Amino acid sequence: MPCGKGSALTRRPFLFFRPRIGSVTLSILTALYALAILNQTFWAKAATNLAGQTTVLVTLAIGLAAAFIAIFVTLSVKYLTKPVLMIFVLAGAASGWFMDQFGVVIDKEMIRNAAETSGPEAGHLLTSAFVLHIFLVGILPCLLIAWVKISHRPFLHKVGYNMAVIIPSVLVFTGAAYSQAGTFAFTIRQHRDWFETLNPLFPIGSTILYAIGAGEEHGIVAQPLGLDARVSDAEADIKGLRKPRVTIVVVGETARASSFQLGGYEQPTNPELSQEDIVYFKDTTSCGTATAVSVPCMFSGLGRSNYSHTKGLASENLMDVLSHAGIRTEWWDNNTGSKGMALRIPYKELYRTNDPRFCENGECKDEILLDQLDNWLNSVDHDAVLVLHQLGSHGPAYYARYPDAYRRFTPDCRSSEFSACHRQEIINAYDNSILYTDHVLATIIHKLKAQETRIAPSMIYMSDHGESLGEKGLFLHGAPWIVAPAQQTHIPFVLWLGQEARAKTARGCWSHQATEPQSHDNLFHTVLGLMQVETKVHDKTKDLYSSCVKVES
Ligand SMILES: [Zn+2]
């Protein structure tokens, strides 16, 4: 048998066989794969939002296919084609998982939250089901892209060929959009989060916006805030003529008001706080739906309507104003950091201690915040504010937030893979985490009460945002605030006043305030009020304490 070229090819092992494909064809195939396979949430929403409007739905599919093709082919440039397509597929596979499983939207704030999260927290999201999903819809297609060999055309020929695809695609997209413009505009206005699930375009766009923002914000220096602050009766404190005022601010994590018994939830999640003489503000709204937004916002004093990440960075915060007033300030963290709120004050990252009494796999139960509290209270000899930043009810591993003694609602989901549990098991695990927070807060109150002969204490607890537990198919948090369900923005807010602070206020005022709408905007001004700090940045109309102080006749 003659040994020709063809027979050499047939002897070549299969792995070395690499089919040839044009870069435009590869880009079109990947674009259609992304639109069809990585957009389950988008198409599910499309089917609901455009129910009964088959023509509109088909026009949408044609228009988007044309848009995806135009974008993917535009980026099909020699040497870049494969890396760009692989990034699109992998980003789409990862984003698609979180959108499909938890109903979250991967916007700029979600990217910020992901960038600022801790290793153990992120670890809970990397389940075996997630890894399998990434392998099947992300890595396998990428291996296919890597396997094929791209036939390149001469540069000018390629430009002409690409344009021959891009221009008609843009025309088809424009025609599709124009033909149903009224319906699209109306439906998008009604469902503002719908197009934010368009994968991978929106998540990649969000990442780029986040990166640009982070670059622009680099080097911003916080300007002083409240340099005029002073405690109205500071001299009495210095001379020992009155007890030092001590406020403990507990920043909660992922606790939602709808799971608080104090707010009417039918499960007994607040057995300990129910025994205390507290004010529970039933109608309180968070500034954001993620830690990275809410925490800096609530300490900024800017208020939700005026807050932005850049403005927050450009200014000092509540802790600095208190320091300027001569008050001892400190921040203990069992979360993922103070989000820049404790940059200029004493700060302890308790979760880094790995204390085996409280910690496991790099995360600690919130009682670690109480361990040194008595010592700290004993050391207080003048006005002081201590912030305790909880890990609270951070998901999806709710089961990891509470010790066995608080495993009261059962069966509880013992996995961070929600698909492995019934919804009621997820809710039970979450409720146990609230029960444990109830215990932590009540214990703080007991410790403060025990010191009342020496100090004039008070405690404020506010959660940073709420949580979805399967309502409307949503889980976790981080929905854009404007469209977020109440479960993510309606938060628990508790105030406990020691005898001295309480005696100055009118009880009837508190029962009125407790049912009025309140928000994170109140924290900054109420803490200043509790500590009797006078400064021009103090807005008495947002200070719940001062507004309930009895007018002396
Ligand atoms: Zn949070």
Side-chain angles (χ1 to χ4, degrees):
M1 195 183 181
C3 185
K5 209 177 172 186
S7 60
L9 267 179
T10 54
R11 281 203 305 275
R12 199 182 271 181
F14 176 75
L15 271 178
F16 293 104
F17 169 70
R18 295 178 65 191
R20 283 190 167 273
I21 190 168
S23 63
V24 169
T25 313
L26 182 63
S27 300
I28 292 174
L29 288 174
T30 313
L32 295 177
Y33 171 78
L35 183 62
I37 307 297
L38 304 180
N39 273 288
Q40 285 184 37
T41 297
F42 178 83
W43 290 117
K45 282 178 184 281
T48 312
N49 298 344
L50 299 170
Q53 303 181 76
T54 313
T55 314
V56 183
L57 205 52
V58 171
T59 311
L60 177 72
I62 293 170
L64 282 179
F68 268 57
I69 288 170
I71 293 167
F72 279 52
V73 173
T74 302
L75 296 169
S76 126
V77 183
K78 197 173 181 181
Y79 305 120
L80 281 183
T81 310
K82 283 190 175 185
V84 166
L85 293 182
M86 287 186 195
I87 288 170
F88 274 35
V89 168
L90 285 175
S95 308
W97 170 262
F98 294 111
M99 287 194 268
D100 299 345
Q101 294 293 312
F102 305 115
V104 298
V105 168
I106 317 290
D107 61 5
K108 194 173 128 190
E109 295 310 329
M110 185 62 86
I111 300 287
R112 185 192 311 289
N113 223 32
E116 293 181 10
T117 204
S118 71
E121 263 188 11
H124 288 298
L125 294 168
L126 306 181
T127 60
S128 53
F130 172 77
V131 172
L132 181 67
H133 168 88
I134 291 293
F135 179 75
L136 289 178
V137 306
I139 292 174
L140 268 187
C142 281
L143 289 175
L144 273 177
I145 292 171
W147 181 43
V148 296
K149 234 178 159 158
I150 294 181
S151 308
H152 290 290
R153 292 182 163 80
F155 180 72
L156 283 178
H157 191 179
K158 179 170 173 55
V159 171
Y161 194 77
N162 282 17
M163 293 314 281
V165 175
I166 294 167
I167 292 170
S169 298
V170 171
L171 288 175
V172 170
F173 168 72
T174 313
Y178 189 72
S179 71
Q180 302 288 345
T183 314
F184 287 143
F186 176 77
T187 317
I188 291 168
R189 249 201 319 272
Q190 294 286 308
H191 308 277
R192 295 172 76 154
D193 59 336
W194 175 28
F195 266 72
E196 294 180 353
T197 63
L198 193 59
N199 198 15
L201 302 188
F202 192 82
I204 287 178
S206 301
T207 310
I208 293 169
L209 283 179
Y210 169 74
I212 293 171
E216 284 172 352
E217 287 169 353
H218 190 71
I220 290 180
V221 178
Q223 297 303 306
L225 184 71
L227 286 176
D228 62 333
R230 55 180 284 276
V231 176
S232 61
D233 53 357
E235 208 166 313
D237 182 29
I238 295 162
K239 290 181 179 168
L241 299 176
R242 65 165 172 84
K243 293 177 191 170
R245 283 182 204 104
V246 176
T247 299
I248 296 201
V249 179
V250 184
V251 180
E253 174 60 64
T254 317
R256 62 188 211 165
S258 50
S259 296
F260 258 56
Q261 180 192 1
L262 291 167
Y265 184 47
E266 65 273 15
Q267 297 294 337
T269 50
N270 298 122
E272 296 190 45
L273 281 178
S274 302
Q275 305 298 314
E276 303 298 333
D277 190 4
I278 55 160
V279 184
Y280 180 75
F281 300 89
K282 283 189 163 68
D283 184 11
T284 308
T285 308
S286 66
C287 178
T289 62
T291 314
V293 179
S294 285
V295 172
C297 178
M298 63 206 277
F299 281 83
S300 71
L302 289 164
R304 192 189 68 75
S305 57
N306 197 24
Y307 174 80
S308 73
H309 192 258
T310 310
K311 279 187 190 171
L313 286 177
S315 170
E316 290 185 346
N317 62 70
L318 173 63
M319 305 316 291
D320 300 300
V321 179
L322 294 165
S323 298
H324 296 324
I327 294 169
R328 175 180 171 185
T329 50
E330 213 162 313
W331 184 296
W332 296 356
D333 211 284
N334 189 35
N335 199 293
T336 52
S338 75
K339 309 296 167 194
M341 298 302 100
L343 287 177
R344 293 162 290 273
I345 62 168
Y347 172 60
K348 285 185 190 170
E349 287 183 323
L350 297 181
Y351 58 93
R352 292 204 192 276
T353 62
N354 257 327
D355 185 329
R357 291 173 299 158
F358 309 102
C359 308
E360 210 177 338
N361 304 323
E363 290 182 328
C364 311
K365 306 279 189 292
D366 276 332
E367 275 172 296
I368 196 169
L369 293 165
L370 311 180
D371 192 46
Q372 294 297 315
L373 189 54
D374 286 331
N375 286 345
W376 185 84
L377 288 170
N378 287 331
S379 76
V380 165
D381 54 9
H382 68 278
D383 294 343
V385 173
L386 171 65
V387 177
L388 302 178
H389 191 193
Q390 283 189 282
L391 193 51
S393 302
H394 200 283
Y398 306 127
Y399 69 92
R401 303 290 161 252
Y402 50 89
D404 278 348
Y406 292 85
R407 198 175 169 187
R408 214 164 297 169
F409 304 104
T410 53
D412 54 342
C413 180
R414 308 296 294 176
S415 167
S416 52
E417 219 162 84
F418 286 164
S419 57
C421 296
H422 293 294
R423 185 170 166 234
Q424 190 54 51
E425 293 171 333
I426 297 167
I427 293 171
N428 285 344
Y430 182 83
D431 286 352
N432 286 331
S433 73
I434 300 291
L435 182 74
Y436 183 53
T437 285
D438 178 75
H439 168 70
V440 168
L441 297 178
T443 307
I444 293 168
I445 293 173
H446 296 159
K447 287 182 183 297
L448 291 175
K449 273 184 184 170
Q451 299 270 354
E452 280 204 271
T453 50
R454 287 186 49 248
I455 60 172
S458 51
M459 182 198 80
I460 286 191
Y461 164 78
M462 262 184 172
S463 179
D464 62 345
H465 51 76
E467 184 86 323
S468 283
L469 291 174
E471 297 85 6
K472 294 182 184 164
L474 297 183
F475 287 92
L476 307 180
H477 54 266
W481 193 91
I482 198 82
V483 294
Q487 289 86 6
Q488 294 190 25
T489 55
H490 183 198
I491 47 154
F493 172 16
V494 174
L495 176 68
W496 175 82
L497 299 174
Q499 289 167 11
E500 205 168 303
R502 200 181 322 148
K504 290 182 181 163
T505 62
R507 187 163 284 268
C509 174
W510 288 120
S511 43
H512 172 72
Q513 297 279 37
T515 53
E516 288 289 295
Q518 312 295 356
S519 76
H520 272 164
D521 294 6
N522 296 111
L523 180 79
F524 182 96
H525 305 283
T526 303
V527 172
L528 291 180
L530 278 166
M531 298 306 292
Q532 299 203 13
V533 173
E534 292 175 343
T535 159
K536 58 179 186 296
V537 298
H538 179 218
D539 180 350
K540 277 197 169 182
T541 62
K542 292 178 184 156
D543 171 1
L544 296 173
Y545 180 74
S546 299
S547 64
C548 279
V549 169
K550 286 184 270 195
V551 182
E552 284 172 29
S553 52

